Amino acid sequence: MNLFTFSAHFGDENACRTHFKSERDNQGVICKKYGHTEHYWKQDKWSYECKSCRFRTSLKSGTIIQHSNLSLLVWYRAMFLISTTKKGFSAKEMQRHLGLKRYEPVRAMVHKLRKAMGNRDARFTLEGMIEIDEDYFTVESSEIQKAKGKRGRGAVV
């Protein structure tokens, strides 16, 4: 996705909210109080309400965006910037690109996004033939088993 299609799809807060809600609906919402999985959508409150116990769950609850005062539009733009560049973004540079005044919320957001991306990457392991910048490496699964638990100098990669 390039900048123009991103802006067309997620140009305002409402578009980001609608997309975020559809993604939450696909994943499913679990009641924090009793663990029920069936909910109503309360349009006026932008929250889910449990069909059984009537406990309300906000749209952001249970996500990395949960306690953030930044808008979903800012989060979506930050995710786009991080995912489309080969180089990393410092929090200060992200603050400048997003046009925000305060550094602390941007730093927290970037930290949460990096942590979520790291957790996602930790679930996948590379095996077989791997091409990295026109070089080929073969990873044997027995080498991976030996390397587990050993870090730093002397670890087999």
Side-chain angles (χ1 to χ4, degrees), residues 37-49:
T37 56
E38 295 184 13
H39 291 79
Y40 297 111
W41 174 247
K42 301 282 286 180
Q43 182 68 35
D44 58 334
K45 303 286 185 189
W46 274 89
S47 62
Y48 296 95
E49 187 173 292

Side-chain angles (χ1 to χ4, degrees), residues 6 10 12-13 16-17 19-20 60 63-83 94 98 100 104-117:
F6 175 81
F10 306 110
D12 62 347
E13 180 70 17
C16 295
R17 265 190 180 183
H19 180 263
F20 194 76
K60 295 178 180 181
T63 67
I64 61 172
I65 304 173
Q66 183 170 353
H67 294 293
S68 175
N69 290 331
L70 296 173
S71 69
L72 281 172
L73 180 60
V74 169
W75 278 87
Y76 270 58
R77 286 180 178 169
M79 287 185 264
F80 175 76
L81 289 172
I82 288 174
S83 64
M94 183 67 71
L98 295 174
L100 299 173
E104 292 82 14
V106 176
R107 184 194 161 282
M109 175 183 60
V110 170
H111 178 73
K112 287 177 182 180
L113 288 172
R114 286 181 185 150
K115 186 175 180 181
M117 290 169 69

